Amino acid sequence: MRTAIIGAGPAGLMAAEALLARGVSVDIYDAMPSFGRKFLMAGKSGLNISHAEDLDVFLSRYRSDARLQDMVRAFGPGEITRWMEALGIAAHTGPTGRVFPEMMKASPLLRAWLTRLQEAGAVLHPKHRWQGWDADGALVFDAQEGPVIVAPDVTVLALGGASWKRLGSDGAWARLLEAKGAGTVPFGPSNCGFLVDWSNHMKEKFAGAPVKSVRLSVDGQETRSECVITQRGVESGGIYTLSAALVDGLRRDGTATLLVDLLPYMDVPAIVAKLERPRGKQSMSNHLRKSLGISGVKLALLHEAARGVLPDHAVTLARLIKAVPIKITGTAPLDEAISTTGGVAWDALDEVLMLRELPGVFCAGEMIDWDAPTGGYLITACMASGKAAGDGAADWLQTASSL
């Protein structure tokens, strides 16, 4: 029995590991010249592979069919830590609970993983771009030597979402599944930057500036993470955390409002007390800087919201400081998003991630329609769904061989 796994990211590699552990031969195909390119990019500044928070809190981060939460419950942060240790790589938990490999980078982990898979019998096929099925149901690949036809006993698709095309995730597979009757959901950006119609002054003076020590909120959801001003709008960790709420607002109303609390450690009466101190001949900007420490990009955000004329009334200004509104007009381009929503619809999959319209074809990872913030949740779910798909494929093979 042979399995073809298409896609060599964490979902595909974990599916391969699950199948090899069950004694199934595995061929792994990927369109790129080397494996795990998006995985390596994710770990460029530190591979945040999971998170050590309470499991119920961890599971609440996912927007998905309940099946994904069940998969993460079965193969979650604890299992990933033990899996890394089995590769000879200890886990490091940061002060916010984020879990990293001890050396922080993705490349040593990926090398050890690929070595173990090959030692277990996996055959790697880079530069093989999947083109769909031929008339006999065999897989067709475009390779350097020309078309390659493969007829495996079972197939696991782990082709990623629709962002970062240069790393191999282009979403082109969706049309191939749709042609076979498999239901899909249109792709959308997640964990992405957002567009704001900044003034020229804001773009020229503050593009690239981090906005630190703030509270960001959207429709009651909030985070104390920072954001970064860009020429086009806002991005970075705090924005990614709130991206689902911002996208919901854009879909519902055409625009969304991000609220920035510039002084999250002070309440309105405390701010008013400082603002009401005599300022003499000082400008309001100087008064804000000296009395409350508001300057630079934070002061610029206040001016943007007030259209250049700050309120003289202390209570009005204090309330603005606690909730500076930023009007979001759209998302950054899909290909720039860290992750994407959409893809294979959950009702197109059975309980073990096999496509209902294509018996023997399983799906895993970001190509399925689910969403989660950054912080270790994305990679964890890719690995958990990869293991579930691999186990499901092995069970299906076992059943098929006994008939």
Side-chain angles (χ1 to χ4, degrees):
M1 293 290 184
R2 293 202 70 84
T3 300
I5 295 176
I6 309 177
L13 297 182
M14 188 54 71
E17 187 152 317
L19 281 153
L20 289 164
R22 302 278 293 275
V24 179
S25 298
V26 169
D27 290 273
I28 308 174
Y29 300 86
D30 197 274
M32 306 305 287
S34 58
F35 284 7
R37 289 204 166 187
K38 195 171 181 182
F39 186 68
L40 291 172
M41 177 62 75
K44 194 172 182 181
S45 58
L47 181 67
N48 181 193
I49 198 166
S50 198
H51 203 291
E53 66 193 354
D54 178 82
L55 184 58
D56 287 337
V57 176
F58 189 96
L59 294 172
S60 73
R61 310 295 187 189
Y62 292 99
R63 294 178 133 207
S64 172
D65 186 280
R67 280 174 282 178
L68 183 66
Q69 282 89 335
D70 291 339
M71 294 168 198
V72 173
R73 192 181 296 278
F75 192 83
E79 288 75 18
I80 286 175
T81 296
R82 290 188 286 275
W83 167 82
M84 283 199 299
E85 290 171 348
L87 283 170
I89 296 172
H92 166 72
T93 302
T96 61
R98 296 187 179 207
V99 177
F100 303 83
E102 190 174 38
M103 76 293 291
M104 300 299 287
K105 301 296 184 182
S107 51
L109 177 61
L110 181 61
R111 282 196 301 270
W113 195 2
L114 290 173
T115 297
R116 186 166 74 179
L117 290 173
Q118 287 177 286
E119 289 174 349
V123 181
L124 311 185
H125 304 272
K127 297 184 181 179
H128 279 63
R129 184 174 294 278
W130 182 51
Q131 301 297 318
W133 294 270
D134 67 10
D136 297 319
L139 301 170
V140 180
F141 294 91
D142 182 11
Q144 279 189 314
E145 64 270 27
V148 173
I149 309 299
V150 178
D153 298 289
V154 68
T155 301
V156 178
L157 303 177
L159 291 155
S163 62
W164 292 82
K165 292 178 183 178
R166 65 187 179 87
L167 301 179
S169 299
D170 59 11
W173 51 264
R175 59 180 175 77
L176 300 175
L177 296 191
E178 289 164 1
K180 292 289 187 178
T184 63
V185 178
F187 292 113
S190 180
N191 295 296
C192 60
F194 289 85
L195 307 182
V196 179
D197 292 330
W198 296 126
S199 66
N200 288 333
H201 173 75
M202 194 73 178
K203 288 187 283 190
E204 291 167 5
K205 297 291 186 182
F206 296 102
V211 186
K212 299 183 176 183
S213 301
V214 293
R215 180 188 290 113
L216 308 175
S217 62
V218 179
D219 293 338
Q221 297 185 39
E222 63 179 47
T223 178
R224 290 290 295 268
S225 300
E226 67 182 58
C227 68
V228 173
I229 305 300
T230 69
Q231 284 279 345
R232 295 181 298 187
V234 287
E235 63 178 33
S236 199
I239 300 302
Y240 302 152
T241 300
L242 299 172
S243 65
L246 288 168
V247 169
D248 286 346
L250 288 168
R251 288 174 179 164
R252 183 181 64 243
D253 305 319
T255 62
T257 301
L258 172 69
L259 297 177
V260 184
D261 181 352
L262 300 178
L263 298 174
Y265 49 86
M266 295 180 70
D267 59 16
V268 168
I271 295 171
V272 169
K274 297 229 176 202
L275 289 174
E276 288 182 336
R277 292 175 181 174
R279 63 184 173 100
K281 294 182 179 180
Q282 290 185 104
S283 67
M284 180 59 77
S285 293
N286 273 335
H287 186 49
L288 286 167
R289 177 175 58 84
K290 291 183 178 180
S291 63
L292 292 167
I294 294 176
S295 61
V297 67
K298 289 186 175 182
L299 183 60
L301 286 172
L302 274 178
H303 279 287
E304 286 283 308
R307 299 184 179 275
V309 182
L310 295 176
D312 285 324
H313 190 267
V315 173
T316 303
L317 181 53
R319 288 174 177 165
L320 180 61
I321 289 168
K322 293 293 290 180
V324 179
I326 298 178
K327 183 179 179 181
I328 304 297
T329 60
T331 63
L334 179 66
D335 192 48
E336 297 176 15
I338 290 176
S339 60
T340 54
T341 59
V344 178
W346 280 98
D347 60 10
L349 299 165
D350 70 9
E351 295 302 312
V352 292
L353 300 182
M354 186 171 72
L355 286 164
R356 299 182 192 278
E357 295 295 324
L358 293 168
V361 179
F362 295 75
C363 297
E366 197 184 337
M367 68 182 295
I368 304 172
D369 181 28
W370 55 273
D371 192 17
T374 57
Y377 310 103
L378 294 168
I379 296 178
T380 295
C382 285
M383 296 177 75
S385 63
K387 185 176 187 309
D391 286 336
D395 289 341
W396 188 83
L397 279 172
Q398 186 175 3
T399 302
S401 64
S402 65
L403 295 178

